[in-house]
Amino acid sequence: MWLLTLLVRQLPGYGPGIIMIVFSIIASSRYIWWRLTQTMDLNTGFEGFFGAGLLAAECYTWIIMVLGYVQNARPLRRKSAPLPADRALWPTVDIFVPSYNESLEVVKPTVFAALNLDWPADKLKVYILDDGRRPQFREFAASCGAEYVIRSNNAHAKAGNLNHALTITHGEFVAIFDCDHIPVRTFLTTTWVGSCATPSAPCCRRRTTSFRRTPLREIWALSAACPTRAICSTV
């Protein structure tokens, strides 16, 4: 099965993915069956309790794996819509980098990467949304060319921070980067605007590189005052 997987994965189309999913389900199902029928001859008491708990955890993992396969068995392969040849016709983009208590060393790479995106400079603005209201962040924003935004309170945490920024900015598109997630230079030109440039896609998400490889807990909300702006968030 392992050798077949190495051979099949080189083939084009959806077929190889489906075949590898089937291989994975067969192998994992065989393991779960073995656990259910061959390993549960346990004594009562703590041994049986913890043994059953471990088996339940493994069964839960198997179920989540199968559901994930169902969800991702046939992913959409959308192509980016071409941008106008005349860069003067490209839309304006506001980039939000919200922060509360993260250090400046964590935020700097994200801001620098956002400022360096392949987009006309007069149509791109990067906003540091500092709910920590720290003077060193204000100084950094002024030195690098980013905008610095604070508010009078921290109501509704990150979602409130983003909604406040939506009421005072005016770009046609908004990109939201968690402060430790670093976009590639082609983030806007290759996948984002091409996917979000239609009325049927008011929001879209895309994976980026994380400064710290931890799960991204992304919260964003559309402000009632800005109903026509497309929102992009990173994962």
Side-chain angles (χ1 to χ4, degrees):
M1 186 179 291
W2 180 73
L3 291 176
L4 285 174
T5 300
L6 292 179
L7 294 174
V8 167
R9 67 191 297 268
Q10 305 298 328
L11 300 176
Y14 292 108
I18 300 297
I19 293 173
M20 288 189 287
I21 286 174
V22 171
F23 285 169
S24 175
I25 291 177
I26 291 174
S28 57
S29 298
R30 177 65 183 87
Y31 170 77
I32 292 295
W33 178 255
W34 171 77
R35 287 283 283 118
L36 288 170
T37 59
Q38 303 294 323
T39 67
M40 291 305 293
D41 186 17
L42 303 174
N43 296 325
T44 57
F46 285 109
E47 184 178 289
F49 175 78
F50 288 110
L54 178 59
L55 177 62
E58 290 181 302
C59 290
Y60 171 79
T61 302
W62 181 85
I63 292 171
I64 294 300
M65 181 195 71
V66 172
L67 292 176
Y69 285 154
V70 172
Q71 183 179 14
N72 296 287
R74 193 180 175 90
L76 296 177
R77 297 180 178 177
R78 295 190 181 99
K79 294 183 179 180
S80 298
L83 289 161
D86 184 1
R87 293 170 70 94
L89 300 177
W90 290 15
T92 56
V93 178
D94 292 334
I95 295 179
F96 295 166
V97 182
S99 176
Y100 174 59
N101 59 2
E102 297 83 1
S103 69
L104 187 57
E105 287 69 25
V106 170
V107 178
K108 276 184 177 181
T110 301
V111 174
F112 285 141
L115 290 168
N116 196 45
L117 290 174
D118 183 16
W119 204 257
D122 61 330
K123 294 179 176 291
L124 180 69
K125 287 187 177 182
V126 178
Y127 294 85
I128 300 175
L129 313 182
D130 182 23
D131 259 1
R133 293 177 282 278
R134 292 156 291 185
Q136 63 270 33
F137 275 65
R138 182 188 297 273
E139 295 170 3
F140 167 66
S143 66
C144 70
E147 304 290 332
Y148 181 76
V149 176
I150 60 173
R151 53 186 179 141
S152 59
N153 58 66
N154 291 358
H156 304 294
K158 187 176 182 180
N161 195 6
L162 295 174
N163 274 329
H164 171 259
L166 286 170
T167 64
I168 61 174
T169 58
H170 307 285
E172 297 171 70
F173 290 88
V174 176
I176 302 169
F177 297 122
D178 209 25
C179 66
D180 61 351
H181 280 65
I182 304 169
V184 296
R185 179 169 165 75
T186 57
F187 179 87
L188 294 177
T189 55
T190 57
T191 61
W192 180 63
V193 169
S195 299
C196 286
T198 61
S200 60
C203 298
C204 63
R205 303 186 75 180
R206 183 197 167 186
R207 188 176 301 278
T208 58
T209 299
S210 177
F211 185 87
R212 298 188 305 268
R213 293 189 179 277
T214 56
L216 171 62
R217 298 178 298 276
E218 197 62 59
I219 304 173
W220 81 92
L222 289 172
S223 170
C226 309
T228 62
R229 301 172 73 186
I231 307 293
C232 174
S233 175
T234 60
V235 161

